[in-house]
Amino acid sequence: MKKGFSLSVLLAASLLGACDQLAPGDGEAGGQLESTDDLVTRVGTPINVENHPGQALFNENCASCHNGTVPKAPAIVWLEMLEPDIVLSSMSEGIMQQQAAHLSSEEQLHIAEYLARIELDDYQPPAPPPACEDTRLDMSAPPPAAVGWGHDNSRFVPASVGGIDAGDFGDLQLKWAFAYPGAIRARSQPAVGWNTVFVGSQNGKVYAFDLDSGCAEWTYRAGAEVRTAIVADAENERLYFGDILGRVYAINAMTGEEIWRVSVDDHPNATITGTPTLGGGMLAVPVSSLEVTSAADPNYSCCTFRGAVVALNPATGEREWKTYTVPNPPTQQGETSAGARILGPSGAPVWNSPTYDPARNRFYFGSGENYSSPADGNSDALFAVDARTGRKLWHVQFTENDAWNVGCMMGNENCPEENGPDLDIAASALLVPIGNGRDMIVVGSKSGVVHGVDPETGRQVWERRLGHGGTQGGVHFGMSSQGSTVYVPITDLADTHDGREYDTSINGAGIHAINAADGRILWRNKANNICDGELYCDPGISAAATSVPGAVIAGHLDGRLRAYDRRTGRVLWNYNTRQQVDTVTGAIGRGGGMSGPGPAVYNGHVIANSGYGLYFHLPGNVLLVFEKQ
């Protein structure tokens, strides 16, 4: 495997997701970006970007619309993350056919090579997985249950749905595996029902795999990477998901045929990282962005994006309401010496899946940092909105004066005066019953602190520090709850690669159980370090946790998938996802760091993705299906 690199690709890769800052440094505060070569690899022979004809062709024909300022035109940071065949087909027969009509096939190929940063003379789209002889779904099997992201952010799977409890992990064995073609990451959490695994992928394919054999019942090609979970609507036999270009899809669960597709934000850097949520008759879609990367250019006027949640009609995709985290469009606050305007307040993206409260008919969601000065009261905050109208009911901020963008990594004047600390609320809030008819919202952030909030008023009731936190620390993708117990995964890296120093004496890397009523710690299982100095290997838990009766399952950044006893935290089961496995296509697959999605559990099976070749973490490309023997 050879490496091809692009600064904007790598910045985008390093920022995409819940942890939206990375700055390789020397361990001293204030370090600036010097090299991003180790962040992510591209498969193929690298090109010399400066001498490649695709650069001039792109600048002459594409850059004016894809420079990050034209609404609905994806910025170059997104184009560089698309699969080459998507770029080529968009010019030859797709949405860009008219604009590219004057370009020869060779010139179109050069543009695709420039964006991919690799040679494409012998490029072939990935081969499809083996098709099932009978492509009909098993309607006699249990349908998808309303558990996990998109339905219930407690991420608890009862025995009636999952068929797995604490006593079953000793008999759990790998049943089959699938290697995602050409992938270095696997970030879409599966939905499972009708004996079928529905999952998205880095190349934009959505697969429907037979649970027993791993053959494909159907596939659907979205226009870009699908990193959200697949949300199954069993009653209407529909699947919902978002892609990295900010589009939401509804497809037929039986056939994979598209029902509707809509864009939820006109900003050229808008994306969907959190999973859409069904609730109150709405499909609530969180909107985030990578405009922070545009600020790496000192001539860019930063910033204009505002985080939001958009409510769609699940049947038609029509917009019902849109609520911004930052209520008003940014205004000019000043100007840099390069002549770029300073626009703010901005940012406060929504990285997480909204939490629906049926008793109060509300959605709760958290926000990330502001992108530019001035920092306002809407960043790193928890919001409650009316599910019918989107009207804000209350919000509470946990970290004040948090504004940051990639200009801080580059050391240019686009860096806000606040310069971080970039402590997003990246994981979904949990609505947890605590007895006597009362609930508590439990929310964690990259600060390493978990908060208890009164859902009626938004008042903070308690807080508990579990780790030192940071741009790659604290709570990342998701907690889980079982009864009044909340399981909190923490990833506190020894080296956060952000040029800042942290008090590692309070390192919380591992999993923690706390009481939702008061934040009291019930037990802690600190992750032992098995990396032995291996590059990009870390012991923390970044992926979302999933709980079943008597146990909680968590994927580690070092590739371990483990089940822990609910009452003591003792390890019940351990599987190394980085080991080489044979797959249903005949290809060899291998997992890597586990970050983003957590396991799905269905009818005696545990289904998990492994691989996260971003942020200085271990790449991998496998979907693993385990079965209770």
Side-chain angles (χ1 to χ4, degrees), residues 72-96:
K72 298 186 179 180
I76 188 173
V77 294
W78 292 128
L79 298 180
E80 290 175 321
M81 285 193 287
L82 298 180
E83 289 295 307
D85 61 309
I86 293 180
V87 175
L88 287 169
S89 64
S90 71
M91 291 187 285
S92 62
E93 58 187 7
I95 192 171
M96 299 305 296

Side-chain angles (χ1 to χ4, degrees), residues 232-595:
D233 178 352
E235 181 180 354
N236 296 297
E237 298 180 354
R238 289 194 292 257
L239 306 175
Y240 309 102
F241 54 90
D243 72 15
I244 63 168
L245 294 182
R247 297 170 297 199
V248 184
Y249 301 74
I251 63 176
N252 186 309
M254 300 295 110
T255 64
E257 294 177 351
E258 185 178 302
I259 300 171
W260 54 256
R261 175 175 61 176
V262 299
S263 178
V264 293
D265 199 286
D266 287 344
H267 198 282
N269 283 290
T271 187
I272 301 169
T273 52
T275 298
T277 297
L278 283 169
M282 305 289 184
L283 182 69
V285 183
V287 185
S288 55
S289 92
L290 281 191
E291 192 187 17
V292 282
T293 64
S294 301
D297 178 0
N299 297 306
Y300 183 82
S301 294
C302 176
C303 278
T304 56
F305 173 81
R306 294 179 290 156
V309 169
V310 179
L312 304 178
N313 182 317
T316 66
E318 295 179 353
R319 182 186 298 182
E320 300 293 340
W321 50 259
K322 184 174 186 177
T323 299
Y324 290 95
T325 52
V326 177
N328 299 312
T331 59
Q332 185 163 347
Q333 306 291 322
E335 190 173 287
T336 70
S337 62
R341 293 182 298 159
I342 301 170
L343 302 167
S346 64
V350 183
W351 298 104
N352 45 78
S353 181
T355 297
Y356 179 62
D357 180 345
R360 301 170 182 85
N361 200 29
R362 298 174 177 177
F363 288 108
Y364 307 110
F365 55 88
S367 65
E369 88 285 13
N370 292 117
Y371 290 169
S372 54
S373 297
D376 70 359
N378 298 292
S379 57
D380 302 348
L382 178 69
F383 294 80
V385 302
D386 183 271
R388 294 167 298 175
T389 65
R391 180 175 63 89
K392 290 181 184 178
L393 303 173
W394 53 256
H395 81 280
V396 55
Q397 186 177 50
F398 299 114
T399 303
E400 297 180 345
N401 299 315
D402 189 1
W404 180 90
N405 64 53
V406 174
C408 303
M409 298 168 73
M410 310 303 294
N412 70 41
E413 290 184 58
N414 270 335
C415 180
E417 62 183 27
E418 294 89 351
N419 191 12
D422 182 30
L423 298 179
D424 314 62
I425 297 173
S428 298
L430 306 187
L431 184 67
V432 185
I434 57 173
N436 298 320
R438 297 183 301 136
D439 296 319
M440 186 72 71
I441 299 174
V442 181
V443 59
S445 78
K446 293 193 302 183
S447 66
V449 178
V450 182
H451 310 265
V453 176
D454 183 341
E456 300 292 347
T457 65
R459 180 182 64 88
Q460 178 173 289
V461 179
W462 55 262
E463 68 176 31
R464 177 71 58 190
R465 176 168 290 280
L466 296 175
H468 61 68
T471 57
Q472 287 222 80
V475 181
H476 278 189
F477 285 100
M479 304 179 294
S480 181
S481 63
Q482 187 171 170
S484 61
T485 299
V486 175
Y487 306 108
V488 186
I490 294 287
T491 173
D492 276 353
L493 307 187
D495 181 2
T496 59
H497 304 284
D498 63 1
R500 297 190 176 105
E501 293 181 339
Y502 299 93
D503 181 5
T504 56
S505 66
I506 54 172
N507 177 24
I511 193 159
H512 312 252
I514 63 173
N515 184 293
D518 55 15
R520 176 170 48 91
I521 297 173
L522 304 176
W523 53 259
R524 313 175 83 168
N525 190 321
K526 298 289 189 67
N528 62 315
N529 192 336
I530 63 170
C531 296
D532 194 27
E534 181 183 359
L535 193 63
Y536 306 151
C537 181
D538 291 287
I541 304 178
S542 177
T546 301
S547 54
V548 298
V552 58
I553 315 168
H556 290 231
L557 284 173
D558 57 26
R560 289 180 292 178
L561 182 61
R562 308 181 95 179
Y564 297 86
D565 183 84
R566 175 191 179 184
R567 301 195 180 280
T568 66
R570 178 176 61 89
V571 176
L572 302 173
W573 176 72
N574 182 86
Y575 181 88
N576 176 17
T577 70
R578 294 178 61 193
Q579 63 186 288
Q580 184 173 291
V581 292
D582 296 322
T583 71
V584 295
T585 64
I588 299 299
R590 185 189 299 274
M594 303 187 75
S595 187

Side-chain angles (χ1 to χ4, degrees), residues 194-219:
W194 302 302
N195 214 45
T196 301
V197 180
F198 305 101
V199 65
S201 66
Q202 183 179 340
N203 70 6
K205 284 280 185 71
V206 176
Y207 300 93
F209 291 116
D210 176 76
L211 181 62
D212 291 327
S213 68
C215 65
E217 291 161 338
W218 54 254
T219 60

